[in-house]
Amino acid sequence: MPPRPDHPVPPTSGIPQPGLVAATFTVLRRRRGALAGATVRVVGLSGLAGLLVTAAVFALAWPVFTRMRNQRIWYHQVEDPYLHDPTDLVLVALGTLPLFLLLLGTGGAALQAVCSRAVAEESAEAATTARKNRSGDPVPGRLRPVLAVYALRGLIVWPLPLLVAFVADRLTGYHLDTPEPLQRGSWPHTLVETSPAVAVFVAVLLRLALTLAPAAAAAGLGPRAAVRRSWSLTWTRAGAPRVLALALPLAALAAGVFRLVVQFALPLRPLVRGLVEQATGNFFAAYYAGVLAPVIVGVLVTAAVTLPVTCTAFAVLHDRLRVPRTTPRSAGDAADLTTRHACSPPGPRPE
């Protein structure tokens, strides 16, 4: 008997799948112990590492703080007002920005792996999916592919707006002792001046199209395959509105939580500023430490509150989009077709 290809058997249960929001909160409720423990560990370790990196940044910038203090003392002696220039601090912060991005990406990848594993376990146990793990399937929830996807997605999304903003600033920005290449008021000047907004809009579209890539990588795909999977799932009639409808409320939730927590953490500013100034004797270091304190608290609390929900929701959405739904009638027809195909005698079939 010649070998015949195996036909996948669709789910035969007629129970409708719950909605995306209901499925997300079902996973969060049933796996709350594992998700809460992972969130506490990831956010706690990320916060500790972030404090160490921030202390390293302050140590690197200490000569700048010392110069600011000395200039302030000198201007005070000559009875002139002193306005410090934060350009050197901005350069130090930009130089150490990749460390913070790596830290945030690692924490997000770790939570995405845990949430995707929880969604996979919940899907395997649900009666409506009727799917079983086969030997040789990739193990969901791996950290390295998810982290690679974060890096690859950043390389795809952010170079365009950064490059366009730099070029537009060089061509239309105000620079001392430098003639402007483009005349103000001309249409080339207007086009170049508005090009960063267009580049940001394109970057936002790319970011939305690659939103499902971490969930795809956590499900077992490689980085490039996960990016292609997210692109193909998003640019569909069913995928685009779902991704947009899920991304916008989650982004608003994260922004609202961050704003609220920062406002509640504002009393930390004078406390941290007084402690640092008393310990170091440098007003400027204490001032910037006080400015950063509520922001750090806001980032950590926002990550602890919104990241588990966000990662779980996108993992559920990826799981829904990659497995097409089968209605009870079509499932029964497919099952009957599979049964007739298995029971039919071998040999040539009539045309």
Side-chain angles (χ1 to χ4, degrees):
M1 180 180 296
R4 299 181 181 180
D6 295 332
H7 294 270
V9 180
T12 58
S13 175
I15 303 176
Q17 290 183 340
L20 180 61
V21 177
T24 299
F25 282 99
T26 298
V27 176
L28 292 173
R29 185 181 70 253
R30 294 182 179 178
R31 311 286 170 174
R32 58 183 179 273
L35 294 179
T39 301
V40 171
R41 290 193 299 270
V42 170
V43 174
L45 292 176
S46 299
L48 180 60
L51 290 178
L52 294 178
V53 173
T54 304
V57 172
F58 270 72
L60 291 175
W62 201 255
V64 180
F65 292 133
T66 304
R67 185 170 66 251
M68 288 180 177
R69 183 190 61 185
N70 295 337
Q71 289 179 351
R72 184 190 182 191
I73 294 174
W74 186 81
Y75 274 89
H76 181 71
Q77 291 177 352
V78 298
E79 298 181 352
D80 282 342
Y82 172 64
L83 297 177
H84 69 280
D85 185 11
T87 304
D88 295 334
L89 290 178
V90 172
L91 294 178
V92 174
L94 290 177
T96 56
L97 182 62
L99 295 177
F100 290 98
L101 294 179
L102 177 61
L103 184 61
L104 293 175
T106 303
L111 279 181
Q112 181 67 68
V114 174
C115 295
S116 295
R117 188 182 302 116
V119 171
E121 293 173 355
E122 190 68 24
S123 298
E125 293 179 1
T128 56
T129 58
R131 288 184 288 126
K132 298 181 180 180
N133 293 328
R134 300 184 301 270
S135 59
D137 284 348
V139 179
R142 298 177 300 167
L143 176 60
R144 186 177 300 177
V146 183
L147 188 58
V149 161
Y150 272 87
L152 182 59
R153 187 173 63 180
L155 292 176
I156 294 174
V157 173
W158 297 116
L160 176 63
L162 292 178
L163 179 61
V164 172
F166 176 77
V167 173
D169 179 71
R170 301 307 301 176
L171 294 178
T172 63
Y174 179 76
H175 303 280
L176 294 177
D177 302 329
T178 303
E180 292 186 355
L182 299 178
Q183 183 180 3
R184 288 186 176 272
S186 61
W187 64 267
H189 185 279
T190 303
L191 290 178
V192 174
E193 192 175 23
T194 57
S195 60
V198 179
V200 170
F201 178 74
V202 174
V204 170
L205 290 181
L206 289 174
R207 178 62 177 79
L208 287 174
L210 303 180
T211 300
L212 300 176
L221 294 180
R224 288 183 295 180
V227 169
R228 290 193 297 268
R229 167 74 66 81
S230 178
W231 183 273
S232 62
L233 291 179
T234 302
W235 293 116
T236 58
R237 184 177 298 179
R242 291 186 182 183
V243 170
L244 188 63
L246 186 60
L248 292 181
L250 290 176
L253 174 65
V257 172
F258 178 77
R259 176 71 175 176
L260 184 63
V261 174
V262 169
Q263 289 297 319
F264 275 105
L266 285 180
L268 289 176
R269 283 186 175 179
L271 178 62
V272 173
R273 183 168 62 240
L275 292 176
V276 175
E277 186 174 9
Q278 184 178 3
T280 63
N282 193 310
F283 168 78
F284 293 100
Y287 171 77
Y288 283 103
V291 170
L292 289 177
V295 177
I296 294 175
V297 174
V299 169
L300 293 178
V301 175
T302 304
V305 172
T306 62
L307 272 183
V309 180
T310 302
C311 295
T312 304
F314 282 118
V316 172
L317 179 59
H318 171 261
D319 189 65
R320 292 287 181 87
L321 291 178
R322 69 171 180 171
V323 180
R325 292 186 179 183
T326 306
T327 60
R329 181 176 180 180
S330 61
D333 295 340
D336 294 340
L337 180 60
T338 304
T339 304
R340 290 197 301 268
H341 178 79
C343 297
S344 60
R349 299 187 179 188
E351 297 294 336

